[in-house]
Amino acid sequence: MAPSQPDARGHFGQFGGRFVPEALMAALEQLENEYVAASKDPEFQKELTNLLQTYSGRPTPITDAKNFAQHCGGARILLKREDLNHTGSHKINNVLGQALLTKRMGKKRIIAETGAGQHGVASATAAALLGLECVVYMGEEDTKRQALNVARMQMLGATVVPVTTGSRTLKDAVNEAMRDWVANVDETHYLLGTVAGPHPFPMMVRDFHRIIGVESREQVLALTGKLPTAIAACIGGGSNAIGIFHPFIDDVEVQLVGFEAGGDGVETGRHAACISGGLTGVFQGSRSYLMQDAEGQTIESHSISAGLDYPGVGPEHAYLNELGRAQYRAITDREAMDAFLLFCQTEGIIPAIESAHALAGVIKLGKELGKDAVILVNLSGRGDKDVATAAEWFKETGQMK
Amino acid sequence: MTSALHAAFGKAKSENRAALIAYIPAGFPTVGKGIEIIEAIIAGGADIVEVGWPYSDPLMDGPTIQKAAEMALENGASAKDVIATVGKVKAAGAVPLVMSYWNPIERYGVERFSQELAAAGGVGVITPDLTPEEGVDWIAATDKFDVQRIFLVAPSSKDVRLEVVANASTGFIYAASLMGVTGTRESVSSHAETLVARTRKVSKLPIAVGLGVSTPMQANDIAQYADGVIVGSAFVKAVLEAVDHAAALAAVKKLAQELKQGCVK
């Protein structure tokens, strides 16, 4: 199988495409052309690589999580440490790429949406570094859940706009960012933070995150002499997952497993697991799976993780699911939080609650695959931002005093 | 046979004016009251009514229409109500269209919607987030059931895209007057006239201008170069600001009358 690439109009099979107001078509074409040119331009690549290495700290290491592995059926668990990036998550990979592209297009202002605040912080960081104006749209609900990240963005010089429409979470922040973009498109780049939205975003954002998988492939081969048995990652929009999956798509013996946010459980309807519990449709610029009712109205998602609390998912994941090349499963809030605590106490690493969904998945996957398995898991972010949410949860469950 | 839509543009032209096209979401503020509001707008002189299909994520709409859509959905507005409202527009003597974001139509079923809309007397559909390139199934279904397609052009559209949109449209072409979302504005952007002139070079279809149009003076500006004047947020605002339903009915009727007077060439 060839690595999955979209067709000329950005379709991954029946998914993807461009479902946007005509007013944005010119900007999307410009973005696509600039991106394609930049990806072939050695100067651009050199500048991006330099920033990734000297500013963000790439390559990120692989950690052999021997203690945590005891709880995963004895399988060998290798962590790809995206949490060690500058700003605390994988999000910076894409942000640095798009911020450089913004300058290349001669634009001076970036706008971004954020859920957990990780993409917003990364965007504010890149804007500060490269001298761009930055406005971040964030659901009002999320500004409360992630107050620490709001303060970080403000300190970095960004304007944070709380979004008070709809469910006041990530999807509404995307709507507001789109509205801003259509009105200010001449001088503004919409620095979309995940592999969703209209073409070329799913392809471009994936390409900026492919470095996660490219590095991992070399590192795992060097460490173990073979490819991993399986790769696990959490899925909201799906950027960290596609980044680590994509360089392994041709390696058909490597299982790819994405863990969606199951909230209270997919059967309760209160979740954010679009592939496990959604239907195909068009949402925020592309066709994919989404959480919707019988009338095509978006259903509000639910997850303890602000970063996964999104009723859509990137079109390439929908395609990989349809092909059967990747599997998608749901992890409940409880399972994620149990894994969060276990991981803190066995490895001395506080993971992002998003990443804890992948860790909970790995506990199950390890038991299924057995002790000969090597599972590579994308530890997409660190959990400093989640300490208050987690403390509240563990007090309620009695797991912490 | 000329469609009712083209007949309405033809009639307006013969009266030396632009057609007045009103937008109002179905089920706003409730299904029953919403129908009365539309009837008042038609009594005030609207030639064509775009019945909006309320959607949870209206990313092309400003705060006024967002609020209306939210109220309509909270009050249970459904696809069935959209189609029923279309029937009422026809009964009240105006040409009914539907304006909808794409996902509700796709979920309802593209063929099913086209067929049921046509059966209810609906003449055409405006699809603001569907570009012709993604509309292959839509084009087939609307051709089959003789539903007119209205796609949009924007000031940023390059000539090659104007042609794509013109070739795929059958009803009229919706020219977005500005780069932005719906909502009332102080003045109509100068981009509108240029856009209409550019679009005329690639299409013989009527062209109507919308986005930001709310006053008779703005309508009059547009009537000098376009075939239709589209007003949405101003009607919604009149309803939201009215003290009660009776006042809302009076306000929208008066606004329609004033706008209609503005539509003269």
Side-chain angles (χ1 to χ4, degrees):
Chain A
M1 190 192 305
S4 66
Q5 289 294 350
D7 70 13
R9 288 190 178 141
H11 297 107
F12 297 90
Q14 62 161 315
F15 302 106
R18 252 178 207 162
F19 292 82
V20 292
E22 174 61 30
L24 288 176
M25 289 298 281
L28 291 169
E29 279 169 16
Q30 178 199 19
L31 179 60
E32 183 183 356
N33 292 339
E34 285 288 350
Y35 170 65
V36 170
S39 62
K40 292 174 189 155
D41 177 354
E43 277 304 308
F44 180 90
Q45 295 304 323
K46 200 173 131 194
E47 203 176 352
L48 178 57
T49 302
N50 182 54
L51 282 180
L52 289 171
Q53 291 175 351
T54 66
Y55 187 68
S56 186
R58 300 207 74 90
T60 58
I62 291 274
T63 299
D64 206 338
K66 290 182 177 153
N67 303 327
F68 182 69
Q70 302 300 312
H71 302 270
C72 306
R76 188 172 185 187
I77 308 299
L78 301 177
L79 310 170
K80 178 59 174 169
R81 299 293 307 277
E82 290 300 296
D83 61 315
L84 295 178
N85 275 302
H86 178 44
T87 74
S89 81
H90 72 291
K91 292 290 186 190
I92 193 85
N93 302 325
N94 165 51
V95 163
L96 289 172
Q98 285 198 52
L100 286 178
L101 209 51
T102 304
K103 295 203 83 159
R104 190 184 163 98
M105 289 188 287
K107 295 185 175 184
K108 297 187 164 34
R109 177 175 179 262
I110 57 171
I111 54 174
E113 82 296 339
T114 199
Q118 294 302 87
H119 175 59
V121 167
S123 298
T125 299
L129 178 71
L130 298 174
L132 300 165
E133 184 193 342
C134 177
V135 175
V136 179
Y137 290 94
M138 186 168 190
E140 191 184 42
E141 184 75 15
D142 293 333
T143 61
K144 291 176 193 156
R145 283 196 276 194
Q146 305 286 346
L148 183 67
N149 271 342
V150 173
R152 288 168 80 193
M153 288 184 268
Q154 288 168 338
M155 282 171 206
L156 290 161
T159 304
V160 179
V161 181
V163 176
T164 57
T165 52
S167 60
R168 305 176 182 214
T169 60
L170 181 54
K171 83 169 174 76
D172 308 286
V174 172
N175 291 338
E176 269 317 295
M178 287 277 200
R179 291 177 186 126
D180 180 320
W181 199 30
V182 77
N184 301 295
V185 67
D186 281 347
E187 74 276 14
T188 300
H189 173 60
Y190 179 14
L191 209 164
L192 186 65
T194 192
V195 287
H199 179 64
F201 284 107
M203 170 184 81
M204 177 178 72
V205 176
R206 173 200 74 196
D207 289 352
F208 286 135
H209 284 305
R210 274 187 101 248
I211 192 160
I212 307 171
V214 170
E215 285 174 7
S216 298
R217 205 169 187 286
E218 282 176 21
Q219 290 166 317
V220 173
L221 280 172
L223 190 66
T224 69
K226 56 183 184 183
L227 292 172
T229 317
I231 303 176
C234 66
I235 307 256
S239 67
N240 89 81
I242 206 75
I244 199 163
F245 286 176
H246 200 261
F248 292 90
I249 286 179
D250 282 344
D251 304 309
V252 290
E253 68 276 26
V254 179
Q255 283 187 42
L256 307 175
V257 191
F259 293 97
E260 300 189 285
D264 291 349
V266 173
E267 70 289 351
T268 68
R270 292 192 80 233
H271 61 88
C274 305
I275 300 179
S276 310
L279 298 164
T280 62
V282 169
F283 180 59
Q284 295 185 330
S286 57
R287 178 175 283 112
S288 185
Y289 291 97
L290 73 124
M291 296 183 54
Q292 58 181 323
D293 66 15
E295 296 248 325
Q297 306 288 346
T298 313
I299 295 174
E300 286 178 18
S301 53
H302 168 80
S303 170
I304 188 169
S305 151
L308 304 183
D309 198 352
Y310 180 65
V313 66
E316 192 167 1
H317 286 296
Y319 182 54
L320 291 174
N321 178 66
E322 193 178 67
L323 291 176
R325 178 64 191 94
Q327 272 179 35
Y328 297 85
R329 307 188 194 176
I331 292 294
T332 63
D333 286 354
R334 174 171 290 276
E335 289 169 330
M337 294 311 289
D338 286 348
F340 177 102
L341 197 58
L342 178 67
F343 190 71
C344 288
Q345 297 178 0
T346 53
E347 295 295 335
I349 301 170
I350 300 178
I353 297 177
E354 290 77 22
S355 317
H357 285 70
L359 296 168
V362 163
I363 296 173
K364 294 183 180 183
L365 206 54
K367 288 172 184 164
E368 288 165 25
L369 297 175
K371 60 180 170 38
D372 295 331
V374 175
I375 304 173
L376 171 67
V377 52
N378 198 0
L379 192 63
S380 56
R382 60 175 177 248
D384 309 36
K385 68 185 176 61
D386 293 318
V387 166
T389 305
E392 199 181 320
W393 172 278
F394 294 129
K395 270 177 199 154
E396 220 156 89
T397 60
Q399 285 164 291
M400 240 173 69
K401 281 186 184 159
Chain B
M1 196 185 82
T2 317
S3 80
L5 185 57
H6 292 154
F9 279 109
K11 180 166 177 278
K13 197 171 183 183
S14 72
E15 294 170 6
N16 203 30
R17 61 177 178 84
L20 175 61
I21 306 171
Y23 166 90
I24 199 100
F28 165 68
T30 64
V31 175
K33 286 181 181 171
I35 289 168
E36 289 174 15
I37 282 165
I38 289 175
E39 287 166 348
I41 293 172
I42 296 170
D47 301 289
I48 298 164
V49 175
E50 303 174 3
V51 176
W53 190 334
Y55 178 51
S56 54
D57 292 275
L59 57 78
M60 253 196 86
D61 285 304
T64 306
I65 292 177
Q66 284 176 46
K67 170 89 185 149
E70 221 168 277
M71 282 172 71
L73 289 173
E74 275 170 18
N75 290 327
S78 66
K80 180 172 68 62
D81 299 320
V82 172
I83 292 171
T85 303
V86 161
K88 299 288 186 183
V89 171
K90 191 182 180 198
V95 177
L97 307 176
V98 166
M99 181 154 185
S100 180
Y101 289 94
W102 184 244
N103 197 53
I105 296 179
E106 182 165 299
R107 176 84 346 235
Y108 196 75
V110 170
E111 282 226 348
R112 180 184 169 204
F113 175 64
S114 302
Q115 185 172 17
E116 292 182 16
L117 179 72
V123 173
V125 184
I126 304 165
T127 47
D129 63 347
L130 181 73
T131 53
E133 290 91 334
E134 296 288 355
V136 176
D137 293 348
W138 177 239
I139 288 170
T142 45
D143 278 345
K144 183 169 169 188
F145 295 102
D146 203 18
V147 170
Q148 309 271 296
R149 291 183 297 274
I150 298 116
F151 289 105
L152 280 75
V153 292
S156 60
S157 302
K158 295 196 176 123
D159 289 346
V160 52
R161 287 211 52 81
L162 294 182
E163 274 188 60
V164 168
V165 172
N167 291 338
S169 300
T170 51
F172 64 91
I173 296 175
Y174 187 131
S177 71
L178 51 85
M179 296 296 288
V181 295
T182 58
T184 56
R185 306 287 203 288
E186 293 289 311
S187 61
V188 174
S189 138
S190 61
H191 293 309
E193 187 169 1
T194 315
L195 177 60
V196 170
R198 290 174 57 220
T199 309
R200 292 243 189 255
K201 287 186 189 161
V202 295
S203 176
K204 292 195 161 56
L205 287 173
I207 302 171
V209 172
L211 286 199
V213 187
S214 59
T215 67
M217 256 172 78
Q218 292 172 334
N220 191 248
D221 282 351
I222 293 167
Q224 306 317 308
Y225 57 81
D227 307 300
V229 176
I230 305 170
V231 179
S233 295
F235 284 114
V236 171
K237 212 169 155 198
V239 175
L240 289 172
E241 287 173 357
V243 289
D244 57 22
H245 184 53
L249 294 177
V252 295
K253 184 175 176 185
K254 182 161 172 277
L255 178 61
Q257 285 168 336
E258 290 168 359
L259 288 164
K260 185 71 172 274
Q261 283 165 13
C263 283
V264 294
K265 289 201 184 277

